[in-house]
Amino acid sequence: MPVTTEGNYDSEWSSYGVVVDTDRGLVIVSRRTVQVSLCELSLMVADSVFIPAKLLFLHPTHNIAIIQYDPKHLGTTEIYAAPLSEKPLKQGDETRMVTQSRFGGPVCIKTVVSGVAPVAIRESAEPRWRCINTEVIHLESQSVKSHGFGLLSDENGSVQGLYMSCMKEENKDMKIAINICDIMPAVAPLQKGLNPTLRCLNIEVEARPFIIARVAGLSDKRLQELQQGMSSTALVFRVKKVENLSTAYNVLKELDYIISINGKLMRELSDLNIQYTEQSLEIVVLRDKQELTMHVDTMDYDRGVNKIVLWSGATFQAPHKAVLQQTRTVPSGVYCTNVANGSPASQYSLEACNWITHVNGEKISDIDSFERAVRACADGTYVRIKTDVFEIRKVYSVKTCYHYWPTQTLVRDDSELSGWRHAGTKA
C-alpha cells in the first residue's frame, strides 16, 4: 500500500488466492491481504512469474476481496478455475482441505466440520475494517491450523468453503473458514462480466443465547417458532451496532432483537444475506419487551473512499465504514487517518483519529472543501487546524513545509490499473 489509509499500517502483505474464472482472470483472496482499495497488486503464478492485477471488489462484511489479472499475461500457461459449490457446509459434514506444504507441494487434509458459528471480532482502538455478520466453519483436525490458506472441497472436488487469514483487533491475525454460498452474490455477477450490485443494511449483529432474549421479553410462542427447524446452534440475533449516516441509523437501535426479516424468521446468520438483493426490508424486532415492525431501506454498496489528501505529512479522507460503525456523532466530513513520523503534522502534535472541522477559521464540510482550504495556505506559514474527537475540541497550529511535505491529492479512477490516479501536487 503506497499510502496508509482507513486505519491500516501494513505497507505490504502476501497470501494465496483461488482462481474462480480463467477467462476473466478472477481471483478470490483474503481481506487480510487486500485491506483497502488504495493498493498496488501483483500475482505470483507457479512460483515463477509476477503479473499485475487490479482490485475489483472488497466485500463490506465478509473476509474476501476479488482481484483480476489479464489472461494475456500468462500466454499459453494452463490455469484451471476451481469449481464452486453453493451447498453450505454444516456441522458433521466431511470435507477435505486442499492446501500447500511449506515446500510448495500439495496437501490434502480430510476432516469433519465440528461446528458453524458467528465470528466475533472486537473493535480496534483505531477504527479499521472487521469481518462481521459472518458464519465461520470450525474444523475438527488440528492440522489445518498450521496452514494459512486452503480450499474446503467435497468428494467431487467442488469448493464449498475457503480457509484464510483474517484481521483481528489491533492488527492481529486469525484463521477462519467461510462458506462459498455466502459470497456468491458478489462472485456470480463478476463471472458474468457484470459489476456486483450489492445492497447493505449497514448493521452489525451479535449472537445471544435464548435465555438472554427471554429476559428481554421474548414470548413463549416466538421461542417455539424460532426453535423449530433451527440448526445445532440455538441462538437469537441482536443488533450490536448501527452504522452512522445509514438509513437504518434512525430506525433500528442497539440491543434490538431481530425476530424476522421479510416474514422469514431469523434462525441463522445467513438469513441476513437477503439484504444484498432487496431495496427495502420489513424487520420485526423485540424492543423494550414489545415486538415492533420496522421498514428499513437498504443502501447501495459503498465502494469506500474516493479521494485522499496528503497535507503536511498527514492523511485525510472522508470517514470510512469502520469509523461510522464506532462513532455516535459525525462532526464533519473529513477524518485524519494517519500522521507520518517526523512530518510537520507530527511535530505540531496533530493526531490520527481526529475529525477536521475548521482550517484557518473556515468551516470544513467535506474532503473537497478541506482540499481547497489547505491548498490556499502558503509555504512556510502557520495553519490553524481545529479538530473534534469525542466532543473534545482542540486547535493545532501547523507550519507548512511544502519542499519536503507537499500537498498531494489522490482520486479514484477505474481506468487506471491501480484504480487511483495522482491529481496534483503543491510544492
Side-chain angles (χ1 to χ4, degrees), residues 2-5 8-9 126 309-316 336-353 398-399 401 404-406 408:
V3 177
T4 300
T5 63
N8 294 285
Y9 286 98
E126 185 167 344
V309 176
L310 292 88
W311 177 79
S312 292
T315 305
F316 302 89
C336 179
T337 188
N338 181 55
V339 176
N341 293 331
S343 66
S346 174
Q347 292 175 358
Y348 291 94
S349 303
L350 184 63
E351 298 176 332
C353 302
V398 180
K399 186 177 181 180
C401 178
Y404 293 105
W405 301 95
Q408 302 180 71

Side-chain angles (χ1 to χ4, degrees), residues 150-171:
L151 308 179
L152 304 181
S153 67
D154 59 19
E155 59 184 4
N156 298 317
S158 296
V159 178
Q160 292 179 276
L162 298 176
Y163 181 84
M164 302 179 291
S165 295
C166 182
M167 191 160 47
K168 290 177 63 178
E169 66 277 1
E170 309 308 333
N171 219 24

